[in-house]
Amino acid sequence: MPRIICVAGARPNYMKIKPVMDALERLGAEVVLVHTGQHYDESMNDVFFRDLGIRPPDRYLGAGSGTHARQTGRVMAAFEPLVDELAPDAVVVVGDINSTLACALVTAKAGPLLAHVEAGLRSRDWSMPEEVNRVATDRVSDYLLAPSPDAAANLRAEGYREDQIHVVGNVMIDTLLANLERARASDVLDRYGLTRGGYGLVTLHRPANVDEPGVLRRLLKALGEIAERCPLLLPAHPRAARRLEEVGVPGGIRMVPAAGYLDFIALQDAARVVLTDSGGVQEETTALGVPCVTLRENTERPITVEEGTNVLAGTDPERITAVVNRVLDDPPAARCPALWDGRASERIARVLLEGLAAGGRPRPTDLAG
Protein backbone atom coordinates (compact mmCIF):
# COMPACT_ATOMS: atom_id res chain seq x y z
CA MET A 1 0.00 0.00 0.00
CA PRO A 2 1.72 3.22 -1.09
CA ARG A 3 1.77 6.05 1.43
CA ILE A 4 0.95 9.44 -0.08
CA ILE A 5 0.96 12.78 1.72
CA CYS A 6 -1.66 15.24 0.46
CA VAL A 7 -0.97 18.85 1.42
CA ALA A 8 -3.52 21.63 1.96
CA GLY A 9 -2.89 25.00 3.48
CA ALA A 10 -5.52 27.58 2.54
CA ARG A 11 -9.04 28.00 1.22
CA PRO A 12 -8.11 27.61 -2.48
CA ASN A 13 -6.61 24.17 -1.72
CA TYR A 14 -9.50 22.47 0.03
CA MET A 15 -11.74 22.02 -3.03
CA LYS A 16 -8.77 20.60 -4.95
CA ILE A 17 -7.36 18.16 -2.41
CA LYS A 18 -10.62 16.50 -1.28
CA PRO A 19 -11.43 14.62 -4.51
CA VAL A 20 -7.78 13.60 -4.97
CA MET A 21 -7.67 12.13 -1.47
CA ASP A 22 -10.91 10.25 -2.03
CA ALA A 23 -9.77 8.82 -5.37
CA LEU A 24 -6.41 7.69 -3.99
CA GLU A 25 -8.07 5.96 -1.04
CA ARG A 26 -10.60 4.23 -3.29
CA LEU A 27 -7.68 2.73 -5.20
CA GLY A 28 -5.99 1.50 -2.04
CA ALA A 29 -3.45 4.17 -1.12
CA GLU A 30 -2.74 5.23 2.44
CA VAL A 31 -3.39 8.97 2.44
CA VAL A 32 -1.97 11.29 5.09
CA LEU A 33 -3.62 14.74 5.08
CA VAL A 34 -1.27 17.50 6.16
CA HIS A 35 -2.73 20.96 6.85
CA THR A 36 -0.03 23.63 6.95
CA GLY A 37 -2.22 26.18 8.76
CA GLN A 38 -1.66 28.98 6.24
CA HIS A 39 -5.38 29.79 6.63
CA TYR A 40 -6.72 29.18 10.08
CA ASP A 41 -9.78 31.26 10.97
CA GLU A 42 -13.35 29.98 10.85
CA SER A 43 -14.51 31.79 7.71
CA MET A 44 -11.47 30.72 5.68
CA ASN A 45 -10.93 27.25 7.04
CA ASP A 46 -13.31 25.34 9.34
CA VAL A 47 -16.48 26.02 7.34
CA PHE A 48 -14.89 24.54 4.22
CA PHE A 49 -13.88 21.36 6.01
CA ARG A 50 -17.48 20.98 7.20
CA ASP A 51 -19.11 21.82 3.87
CA LEU A 52 -16.85 19.50 1.89
CA GLY A 53 -16.80 16.67 4.41
CA ILE A 54 -13.00 16.72 4.69
CA ARG A 55 -11.78 14.63 7.59
CA PRO A 56 -9.69 16.33 10.28
CA PRO A 57 -6.07 16.66 9.19
CA ASP A 58 -3.73 13.88 10.25
CA ARG A 59 -1.07 16.49 10.92
CA TYR A 60 -1.38 20.24 11.45
CA LEU A 61 1.72 22.43 11.01
CA GLY A 62 0.35 25.73 12.38
CA ALA A 63 2.25 27.99 9.97
CA GLY A 64 0.00 31.03 10.43
CA SER A 65 0.34 34.33 8.61
CA GLY A 66 3.37 36.50 7.89
CA THR A 67 5.48 37.73 5.02
CA HIS A 68 5.97 35.39 2.07
CA ALA A 69 9.47 34.45 3.19
CA ARG A 70 8.55 33.87 6.82
CA GLN A 71 5.44 31.87 6.00
CA THR A 72 7.22 29.74 3.42
CA GLY A 73 10.12 29.16 5.79
CA ARG A 74 7.88 28.14 8.69
CA VAL A 75 6.07 25.61 6.51
CA MET A 76 9.36 24.16 5.26
CA ALA A 77 10.80 23.89 8.78
CA ALA A 78 7.68 22.07 10.03
CA PHE A 79 7.20 19.84 6.99
CA GLU A 80 10.78 18.56 6.70
CA PRO A 81 10.81 16.43 9.89
CA LEU A 82 7.34 15.14 9.05
CA VAL A 83 8.55 13.81 5.70
CA ASP A 84 11.47 12.17 7.45
CA GLU A 85 9.12 10.57 9.98
CA LEU A 86 6.44 9.35 7.57
CA ALA A 87 8.73 8.34 4.67
CA PRO A 88 5.99 8.73 2.03
CA ASP A 89 6.24 7.25 -1.44
CA ALA A 90 4.86 10.47 -2.91
CA VAL A 91 3.65 13.93 -1.94
CA VAL A 92 0.77 15.73 -3.68
CA VAL A 93 0.63 19.53 -3.65
CA VAL A 94 -2.14 21.57 -5.25
CA GLY A 95 -2.45 25.09 -6.60
CA ASP A 96 -0.08 27.99 -6.10
CA ILE A 97 -0.03 29.21 -2.50
CA ASN A 98 3.09 29.57 -0.35
CA SER A 99 2.44 26.19 1.28
CA THR A 100 2.46 24.57 -2.16
CA LEU A 101 5.96 25.80 -2.92
CA ALA A 102 7.28 25.19 0.61
CA CYS A 103 6.23 21.54 0.68
CA ALA A 104 7.38 21.03 -2.91
CA LEU A 105 10.90 22.23 -2.09
CA VAL A 106 11.14 20.01 0.99
CA THR A 107 9.89 16.98 -0.97
CA ALA A 108 12.30 17.54 -3.85
CA LYS A 109 15.25 17.59 -1.46
CA ALA A 110 14.01 14.68 0.69
CA GLY A 111 13.47 12.26 -2.19
CA PRO A 112 9.81 11.18 -2.41
CA LEU A 113 8.12 11.64 -5.76
CA LEU A 114 6.30 14.95 -6.10
CA ALA A 115 3.03 15.55 -7.93
CA HIS A 116 1.70 19.03 -8.69
CA VAL A 117 -2.03 19.32 -9.32
CA GLU A 118 -2.82 22.35 -11.55
CA ALA A 119 0.60 22.30 -13.17
CA GLY A 120 1.27 24.53 -16.15
CA LEU A 121 -1.06 27.43 -15.34
CA ARG A 122 0.64 30.70 -16.26
CA SER A 123 -0.40 34.35 -16.04
CA ARG A 124 3.09 35.54 -17.09
CA ASP A 125 2.70 38.28 -14.49
CA TRP A 126 5.74 38.09 -12.23
CA SER A 127 4.29 40.68 -9.87
CA MET A 128 1.93 37.95 -8.64
CA PRO A 129 3.48 35.76 -5.91
CA GLU A 130 1.32 32.90 -7.13
CA GLU A 131 3.08 32.94 -10.51
CA VAL A 132 6.45 32.48 -8.83
CA ASN A 133 5.03 29.64 -6.75
CA ARG A 134 3.55 27.90 -9.82
CA VAL A 135 6.70 28.04 -11.91
CA ALA A 136 9.04 26.98 -9.11
CA THR A 137 6.76 24.13 -8.00
CA ASP A 138 6.54 22.74 -11.52
CA ARG A 139 10.31 22.84 -11.87
CA VAL A 140 10.91 20.43 -8.97
CA SER A 141 7.91 18.15 -9.62
CA ASP A 142 7.99 14.65 -11.09
CA TYR A 143 4.31 14.50 -12.10
CA LEU A 144 2.88 17.60 -13.78
CA LEU A 145 -0.90 17.18 -13.62
CA ALA A 146 -2.35 19.78 -15.98
CA PRO A 147 -6.02 20.82 -15.88
CA SER A 148 -6.29 21.64 -19.59
CA PRO A 149 -4.40 21.44 -22.90
CA ASP A 150 -3.23 25.06 -22.71
CA ALA A 151 -1.50 24.34 -19.39
CA ALA A 152 0.21 21.31 -20.94
CA ALA A 153 1.30 23.48 -23.89
CA ASN A 154 2.91 25.92 -21.44
CA LEU A 155 4.88 23.06 -19.89
CA ARG A 156 6.04 21.77 -23.27
CA ALA A 157 7.12 25.27 -24.28
CA GLU A 158 9.20 25.46 -21.09
CA GLY A 159 10.94 22.22 -21.98
CA TYR A 160 9.38 19.63 -19.69
CA ARG A 161 9.48 16.01 -20.80
CA GLU A 162 6.36 14.39 -22.23
CA ASP A 163 6.50 11.60 -19.67
CA GLN A 164 6.06 14.17 -16.89
CA ILE A 165 3.00 15.90 -18.36
CA HIS A 166 -0.50 14.50 -17.87
CA VAL A 167 -3.66 16.35 -18.91
CA VAL A 168 -6.11 15.16 -16.27
CA GLY A 169 -8.86 17.77 -16.13
CA ASN A 170 -9.91 20.17 -13.39
CA VAL A 171 -10.30 18.86 -9.83
CA MET A 172 -12.16 22.03 -8.81
CA ILE A 173 -14.95 20.88 -11.09
CA ASP A 174 -14.97 17.42 -9.47
CA THR A 175 -15.83 19.08 -6.17
CA LEU A 176 -18.30 21.48 -7.77
CA LEU A 177 -20.29 18.75 -9.53
CA ALA A 178 -20.24 16.49 -6.48
CA ASN A 179 -21.76 19.23 -4.31
CA LEU A 180 -23.92 21.18 -6.75
CA GLU A 181 -27.29 19.80 -5.69
CA ARG A 182 -26.43 20.31 -2.01
CA ALA A 183 -25.46 23.89 -2.84
CA ARG A 184 -28.70 24.53 -4.70
CA ALA A 185 -30.60 23.38 -1.60
CA SER A 186 -28.97 26.19 0.44
CA ASP A 187 -31.23 28.94 1.79
CA VAL A 188 -28.59 31.63 1.19
CA LEU A 189 -30.71 33.47 -1.39
CA ASP A 190 -33.59 33.74 1.08
CA ARG A 191 -31.24 34.88 3.84
CA TYR A 192 -30.05 37.78 1.71
CA GLY A 193 -33.40 38.49 0.06
CA LEU A 194 -32.10 37.63 -3.41
CA THR A 195 -33.79 36.12 -6.44
CA ARG A 196 -32.22 33.97 -9.16
CA GLY A 197 -30.83 36.20 -11.89
CA GLY A 198 -31.64 39.33 -9.92
CA TYR A 199 -28.18 40.33 -8.71
CA GLY A 200 -24.49 40.31 -9.51
CA LEU A 201 -21.88 38.65 -7.32
CA VAL A 202 -18.49 40.27 -6.62
CA THR A 203 -15.29 38.88 -5.11
CA LEU A 204 -12.14 40.93 -4.49
CA HIS A 205 -9.11 39.56 -2.68
CA ARG A 206 -5.95 39.96 -4.80
CA PRO A 207 -3.43 42.20 -3.00
CA ALA A 208 -2.89 44.16 -6.23
CA ASN A 209 -6.57 45.09 -6.14
CA VAL A 210 -7.41 45.48 -2.45
CA ASP A 211 -4.15 46.66 -0.89
CA GLU A 212 -3.65 49.66 -3.18
CA PRO A 213 -6.21 52.34 -2.19
CA GLY A 214 -6.06 54.01 -5.60
CA VAL A 215 -6.73 50.79 -7.48
CA LEU A 216 -9.49 49.80 -5.05
CA ARG A 217 -11.21 53.18 -5.39
CA ARG A 218 -11.22 52.84 -9.19
CA LEU A 219 -12.68 49.34 -8.97
CA LEU A 220 -15.36 50.47 -6.52
CA LYS A 221 -16.20 53.41 -8.81
CA ALA A 222 -16.93 50.97 -11.61
CA LEU A 223 -18.84 48.61 -9.33
CA GLY A 224 -20.93 51.51 -8.04
CA GLU A 225 -21.98 52.40 -11.59
CA ILE A 226 -22.78 48.77 -12.39
CA ALA A 227 -24.84 48.49 -9.19
CA GLU A 228 -27.18 51.19 -10.51
CA ARG A 229 -28.26 48.68 -13.16
CA CYS A 230 -27.73 45.38 -11.31
CA PRO A 231 -27.49 45.26 -7.49
CA LEU A 232 -24.28 43.64 -6.30
CA LEU A 233 -23.50 41.31 -3.41
CA LEU A 234 -19.89 41.30 -2.18
CA PRO A 235 -18.89 38.52 0.24
CA ALA A 236 -15.54 39.74 1.61
CA HIS A 237 -12.63 37.88 3.18
CA PRO A 238 -11.70 39.43 6.55
CA ARG A 239 -8.59 41.22 5.25
CA ALA A 240 -10.39 42.54 2.15
CA ALA A 241 -13.35 43.65 4.25
CA ARG A 242 -11.08 45.91 6.30
CA ARG A 243 -9.67 47.52 3.15
CA LEU A 244 -13.15 48.02 1.68
CA GLU A 245 -14.45 49.63 4.85
CA GLU A 246 -11.48 52.02 4.89
CA VAL A 247 -12.14 53.16 1.32
CA GLY A 248 -15.94 53.09 1.50
CA VAL A 249 -18.35 50.89 -0.44
CA PRO A 250 -20.75 52.70 -2.83
CA GLY A 251 -24.50 52.37 -2.60
CA GLY A 252 -26.03 49.41 -4.40
CA ILE A 253 -23.18 47.15 -3.26
CA ARG A 254 -24.02 45.00 -0.25
CA MET A 255 -20.95 43.75 1.59
CA VAL A 256 -21.47 40.57 3.61
CA PRO A 257 -19.13 38.14 5.43
CA ALA A 258 -17.21 35.56 3.40
CA ALA A 259 -19.46 32.64 2.46
CA GLY A 260 -18.85 28.94 3.00
CA TYR A 261 -18.34 26.67 0.02
CA LEU A 262 -21.95 25.53 -0.48
CA ASP A 263 -23.41 29.01 0.00
CA PHE A 264 -20.87 30.54 -2.37
CA ILE A 265 -21.56 27.99 -5.10
CA ALA A 266 -25.28 28.69 -4.68
CA LEU A 267 -24.63 32.43 -5.00
CA GLN A 268 -22.57 31.92 -8.17
CA ASP A 269 -25.10 29.55 -9.68
CA ALA A 270 -27.99 32.02 -9.26
CA ALA A 271 -26.14 35.22 -10.19
CA ARG A 272 -26.86 37.20 -13.33
CA VAL A 273 -23.14 38.01 -13.59
CA VAL A 274 -20.06 37.42 -11.45
CA LEU A 275 -17.23 39.97 -11.17
CA THR A 276 -14.05 38.57 -9.67
CA ASP A 277 -10.28 38.60 -9.38
CA SER A 278 -10.20 34.94 -8.33
CA GLY A 279 -8.85 32.17 -10.55
CA GLY A 280 -11.08 29.52 -9.00
CA VAL A 281 -14.22 31.58 -9.56
CA GLN A 282 -13.34 31.91 -13.25
CA GLU A 283 -13.34 28.10 -13.41
CA GLU A 284 -16.49 27.56 -11.35
CA THR A 285 -18.55 30.08 -13.33
CA THR A 286 -17.39 28.46 -16.57
CA ALA A 287 -18.59 25.07 -15.33
CA LEU A 288 -21.89 26.60 -14.18
CA GLY A 289 -22.41 28.52 -17.42
CA VAL A 290 -22.66 31.84 -15.56
CA PRO A 291 -21.22 35.01 -17.18
CA CYS A 292 -18.00 36.08 -15.45
CA VAL A 293 -16.04 39.33 -15.75
CA THR A 294 -12.48 39.12 -14.43
CA LEU A 295 -11.13 42.30 -12.81
CA ARG A 296 -7.50 41.70 -13.75
CA GLU A 297 -5.21 42.50 -16.66
CA ASN A 298 -4.31 38.83 -17.15
CA THR A 299 -5.40 35.36 -16.16
CA GLU A 300 -3.58 32.08 -15.61
CA ARG A 301 -6.77 30.37 -16.79
CA PRO A 302 -7.16 31.65 -20.37
CA ILE A 303 -9.17 28.56 -21.27
CA THR A 304 -12.08 30.09 -19.33
CA VAL A 305 -12.00 32.98 -21.82
CA GLU A 306 -11.41 30.86 -24.92
CA GLU A 307 -13.85 28.04 -24.09
CA GLY A 308 -15.97 29.39 -21.26
CA THR A 309 -18.09 32.26 -20.05
CA ASN A 310 -15.26 34.46 -18.77
CA VAL A 311 -14.36 37.92 -20.11
CA LEU A 312 -11.15 39.71 -19.10
CA ALA A 313 -11.90 43.36 -18.26
CA GLY A 314 -8.78 44.70 -16.55
CA THR A 315 -8.98 47.34 -13.81
CA ASP A 316 -9.86 50.52 -15.73
CA PRO A 317 -13.30 51.69 -14.49
CA GLU A 318 -14.63 52.74 -17.90
CA ARG A 319 -13.55 49.49 -19.50
CA ILE A 320 -15.03 47.41 -16.66
CA THR A 321 -18.36 49.21 -16.91
CA ALA A 322 -18.47 48.81 -20.69
CA VAL A 323 -17.59 45.09 -20.52
CA VAL A 324 -20.17 44.36 -17.82
CA ASN A 325 -22.91 46.24 -19.70
CA ARG A 326 -22.08 44.27 -22.84
CA VAL A 327 -22.21 40.99 -20.91
CA LEU A 328 -25.54 41.92 -19.31
CA ASP A 329 -26.98 42.83 -22.73
CA ASP A 330 -25.58 39.79 -24.53
CA PRO A 331 -24.38 37.04 -22.15
CA PRO A 332 -21.76 34.63 -23.55
CA ALA A 333 -22.97 31.16 -24.46
CA ALA A 334 -22.33 28.46 -21.88
CA ARG A 335 -19.32 26.31 -22.81
CA CYS A 336 -17.16 24.00 -20.73
CA PRO A 337 -13.65 22.70 -21.57
CA ALA A 338 -13.01 19.03 -22.23
CA LEU A 339 -12.22 16.84 -19.20
CA TRP A 340 -13.97 19.24 -16.81
CA ASP A 341 -16.30 16.33 -16.22
CA GLY A 342 -16.00 15.47 -12.53
CA ARG A 343 -13.46 12.68 -13.07
CA ALA A 344 -10.12 14.52 -12.94
CA SER A 345 -9.30 13.09 -9.52
CA GLU A 346 -9.74 9.54 -10.81
CA ARG A 347 -7.27 10.24 -13.62
CA ILE A 348 -4.81 11.77 -11.14
CA ALA A 349 -5.01 8.77 -8.82
CA ARG A 350 -4.41 6.36 -11.70
CA VAL A 351 -1.38 8.31 -12.95
CA LEU A 352 0.21 8.35 -9.50
CA LEU A 353 -0.50 4.77 -8.48
CA GLU A 354 0.45 3.29 -11.85
CA GLY A 355 3.68 5.31 -11.76
CA LEU A 356 4.49 4.12 -8.25
CA ALA A 357 3.67 0.50 -9.16
CA ALA A 358 6.09 0.75 -12.07
CA GLY A 359 8.85 1.87 -9.74
CA GLY A 360 8.31 5.60 -10.00
CA ARG A 361 10.58 7.63 -12.22
CA PRO A 362 13.85 9.52 -11.79
CA ARG A 363 13.67 13.07 -10.60
CA PRO A 364 13.75 15.41 -13.63
CA THR A 365 17.18 16.91 -13.21
CA ASP A 366 17.20 17.82 -16.90
CA LEU A 367 14.47 19.26 -19.10
CA ALA A 368 13.67 17.80 -22.49
CA GLY A 369 15.93 18.57 -25.41
Side-chain angles (χ1 to χ4, degrees):
M1 180 184 295
R3 175 178 292 171
I4 299 176
I5 291 178
C6 288
V7 177
R11 173 176 173 160
N13 288 172
Y14 307 145
M15 296 81 79
K16 301 167 189 174
I17 206 65
K18 174 63 162 62
V20 174
M21 291 170 51
D22 290 348
L24 287 168
E25 289 179 334
R26 282 194 300 270
L27 292 179
E30 176 192 354
V31 174
V32 180
L33 174 59
V34 174
H35 190 324
T36 69
Q38 183 171 328
H39 276 173
Y40 47 86
D41 69 24
E42 162 68 19
S43 66
M44 301 290 282
N45 185 71
D46 296 357
V47 66
F48 282 82
F49 272 66
R50 289 197 301 271
D51 280 357
L52 296 173
I54 304 175
R55 69 168 190 258
D58 298 297
R59 300 297 180 93
Y60 183 76
L61 304 185
S65 56
T67 66
H68 289 284
R70 288 174 180 166
Q71 190 175 65
T72 303
R74 281 199 296 267
V75 173
M76 292 181 71
F79 190 60
E80 183 179 50
L82 187 60
V83 172
D84 289 342
E85 174 194 341
L86 296 176
D89 298 286
V91 173
V92 178
V93 296
V94 297
D96 53 24
I97 64 171
N98 288 339
S99 295
T100 304
L101 176 58
C103 293
L105 291 172
V106 168
T107 303
K109 293 183 177 185
L113 293 171
L114 176 64
H116 184 203
V117 175
E118 285 198 336
L121 296 181
R122 299 289 185 268
S123 69
R124 296 176 175 82
D125 180 356
W126 286 94
S127 70
M128 295 175 61
E130 296 90 345
E131 183 75 354
V132 178
N133 291 345
R134 291 180 202 115
V135 172
T137 298
D138 284 344
R139 184 62 187 89
V140 296
S141 294
D142 300 286
Y143 296 91
L144 298 168
L145 303 165
S148 50
D150 62 303
N154 289 335
L155 294 168
R156 293 188 185 100
E158 292 171 14
Y160 290 96
R161 302 192 316 263
E162 281 297 325
D163 65 333
Q164 292 178 261
I165 302 168
H166 305 269
V167 180
V168 294
N170 191 328
V171 289
M172 288 275 288
I173 308 309
D174 290 20
T175 297
L176 173 65
L177 296 179
N179 290 280
L180 185 55
E181 291 310 311
R182 290 176 62 218
R184 286 173 171 165
S186 166
D187 66 350
V188 67
L189 296 186
D190 292 335
R191 272 185 272 138
Y192 289 134
L194 302 171
T195 58
R196 175 172 285 274
Y199 65 96
L201 181 67
V202 180
T203 77
L204 290 172
H205 77 281
R206 295 277 178 187
N209 282 343
V210 301
D211 289 350
E212 297 291 337
V215 174
L216 186 56
R217 287 191 186 93
R218 291 195 295 273
L219 289 173
L220 289 173
K221 177 179 183 293
L223 295 176
E225 294 178 8
I226 293 161
E228 295 176 3
R229 176 176 180 184
C230 178
L232 300 176
L233 185 77
L234 198 170
H237 299 184
R239 186 179 63 83
R242 291 192 294 272
R243 300 287 189 268
L244 290 160
E245 288 167 355
E246 291 168 2
V247 171
V249 177
I253 303 172
R254 183 180 178 186
M255 190 168 72
V256 299
Y261 180 75
L262 296 176
D263 283 353
F264 190 67
I265 292 299
L267 289 169
Q268 288 186 79
D269 183 56
R272 183 178 177 188
V273 64
V274 176
L275 298 94
T276 189
D277 59 7
S278 162
V281 171
Q282 296 171 51
E283 295 173 315
E284 289 166 344
T285 49
T286 285
L288 292 168
V290 174
C292 177
V293 175
T294 295
L295 308 176
R296 289 168 47 189
E297 299 296 340
N298 52 61
T299 177
E300 64 281 359
R301 293 162 171 89
I303 195 168
T304 63
V305 177
E306 297 159 6
E307 298 189 27
T309 58
N310 187 26
V311 181
L312 202 60
T315 57
D316 176 73
E318 291 185 4
R319 182 180 171 197
I320 292 170
T321 304
V323 168
V324 173
N325 282 329
R326 186 171 72 247
V327 166
L328 291 173
D329 291 337
D330 185 20
R335 296 176 297 174
C336 196
L339 300 185
W340 291 27
D341 56 2
R343 301 183 64 184
S345 55
E346 298 174 20
R347 290 186 280 268
I348 289 170
R350 286 198 299 272
V351 166
L352 293 181
L353 295 180
E354 289 172 5
L356 289 170
R361 63 183 64 187
R363 185 162 301 286
T365 52
D366 294 308
L367 298 178

